[in-house]
Amino acid sequence: MPAVKIPAALAAEVATPVMGRAIAAAGFALLSIFWPSATNQVLAYGLAAFMVASAKFMWDYAKAPSAPKAAQGFYAGAALVMILSGLVMALRPEVLVIGIAGAAAFIIAGVLEIMVFIRLRADFVPFKDQLVTGFVGLGVGAALLMGLNMDAHALLGLAGGGAIILTVFEMISAFGLRHDSKEGQAGLWG
């Protein structure tokens, strides 16, 4: 079965938000790997920043001119939950609060991305990737729930592990979109 080809114009519309989400995930993943003894504040502010940046890029993706308007409701819900989760974490940097807020955001956003895949993938070919990102969100959320009795460093590792998976997948997707976009026009990212 041949790979689904994304038209150049569509690929150009969503390549930058996908790469932005990949870079946000990579930044958080690096923080989680290289911070030797994470405190509650490192976990709270790092994960909150990742949530807010992810929400921004998810919303930019949903606002692509060719994207179905029906997707904006799903992405608005995911973005809102992620921003509220980040706000809760920043205001209450306690491990239990961070774990619950992070898990809720990952799980709800993951479910909404899977719903986008199920309902709208036929209307907008780039939505084929939402199945993977949705399941990554569900997995990270479940891991955070199972690790609620762990310390900040352990939760940072759990969330960072999911960010690594998300980084790899989103980078592959972004560079694939970039490649597809260059066939119809020149100049995306250089």
Side-chain angles (χ1 to χ4, degrees):
M1 182 169 171
V4 176
K5 183 79 170 128
I6 298 174
L10 261 62
E13 290 176 10
V14 296
T16 299
V18 171
M19 181 58 80
R21 191 171 177 196
I23 291 168
F28 179 69
L30 289 172
L31 173 80
S32 73
I33 293 169
F34 294 111
W35 200 283
S37 55
T39 63
N40 292 7
Q41 287 74 24
V42 170
L43 173 63
Y45 303 141
L47 189 52
F50 170 62
M51 290 284 177
V52 171
S54 293
K56 184 255 190 274
F57 291 116
M58 287 174 75
W59 180 245
D60 288 350
Y61 181 82
K63 286 190 331 182
S66 299
K69 296 297 178 216
Q72 288 184 357
F74 292 110
Y75 281 103
L80 180 64
V81 167
M82 293 176 99
I83 290 169
L84 290 175
S85 172
L87 183 62
V88 167
M89 289 180 222
L91 295 175
R92 300 265 325 259
E94 302 157 22
V95 175
L96 183 63
V97 172
I98 298 164
I100 292 170
F106 278 116
I107 290 169
I108 292 169
V111 166
L112 291 171
E113 284 192 285
I114 292 168
M115 289 174 64
V116 165
F117 170 81
I118 292 168
R119 293 186 180 180
L120 301 170
R121 72 183 182 276
D123 299 331
F124 191 66
V125 179
F127 285 160
K128 66 181 175 52
D129 293 341
Q130 295 346 105
L131 184 64
V132 174
T133 55
F135 276 110
V136 169
L138 289 178
V140 175
L144 288 175
L145 285 178
M146 289 187 283
L148 286 178
N149 60 344
M150 297 180 177
D151 66 0
H153 190 257
L155 283 184
L156 185 64
L158 289 174
I164 291 168
I165 296 167
L166 188 61
T167 298
V168 170
F169 179 75
E170 291 284 37
M171 286 278 185
I172 291 168
S173 180
F175 282 116
L177 290 164
R178 179 179 180 254
H179 172 74
D180 289 346
S181 72
K182 284 188 165 193
E183 291 183 10
Q185 64 188 30
L188 185 63
W189 308 336

